[in-house]
Structure formats: C-alpha cells, structure tokens
Amino acid sequence: MLPTLLAGGKKNYTTILWLNILLGWTLAGWISVLMWALANDDKPGPGTATPPLRRDIDSRKALVARLQQLRDEGILTQEEFMKHLRGIK
C-alpha cells in the first residue's frame, strides 16, 4: 500500500489505489504503480498559472491595441473603431 500512500492528493489517486489493489501483489505491478505514484502529475504549483481575470485583461488590452493600430493605419474608421470597442466585454 506504499504507492497508494505516496499518491495521496494526486489527481490519479483513485486509479493508483485500484491498480495497487489489483496488481500490487506482483512485483512488476507494484513497481509500476510505485513509479506512477512518485511521478510528477503535471499540476501547476501555486502561483504559476495566470489567473483567468488577468488573462482576460491582457487579451482585452491586446485587442484594443490592435484596433487602435487598424484605426491609425486607416483600415478602420473612427465609427468602426468605436463600434468594435463597445463590443469588447
């Protein structure tokens, strides 16, 4: 049951538990489950992911900047620019 204890809190905990129960009695099964329990489950650590609100703000800023560029280049009229600007939520 060592792999199950080491897997506590991982996203695949239940799968590791059942594989440990079903295959843990064989040496190859136990070692495989142990290796999976010790492996990194690719969860981002605290503070490493960009918060959704920040991503939304960044994407809106980029969209406004692009619209301004299109207006400055004469591709969009002022009215079209304002229409698109009002459509940003």
Side-chain angles (χ1 to χ4, degrees), residues 9-12 40-45 48:
K10 289 188 177 249
K11 64 181 178 182
N12 294 323
N40 184 2
D41 63 357
D42 296 328
K43 281 186 179 177
T48 58

Side-chain angles (χ1 to χ4, degrees), residues 27-66:
L27 181 61
W30 187 83
I31 290 174
S32 299
V33 176
L34 178 64
M35 296 303 290
W36 189 9
L38 292 174
N40 184 2
D41 63 357
D42 296 328
K43 281 186 179 177
T48 58
T50 306
L53 181 59
R54 181 67 189 171
R55 270 186 306 227
D56 289 346
I57 292 170
D58 290 343
S59 66
R60 288 181 191 147
K61 282 182 180 179
L63 182 56
V64 169
R66 178 68 177 141

Side-chain angles (χ1 to χ4, degrees), residues 1-7 20 30 34 37:
M1 287 299 184
L2 179 63
T4 303
L5 295 174
L6 293 174
N20 193 25
W30 187 83
L34 178 64

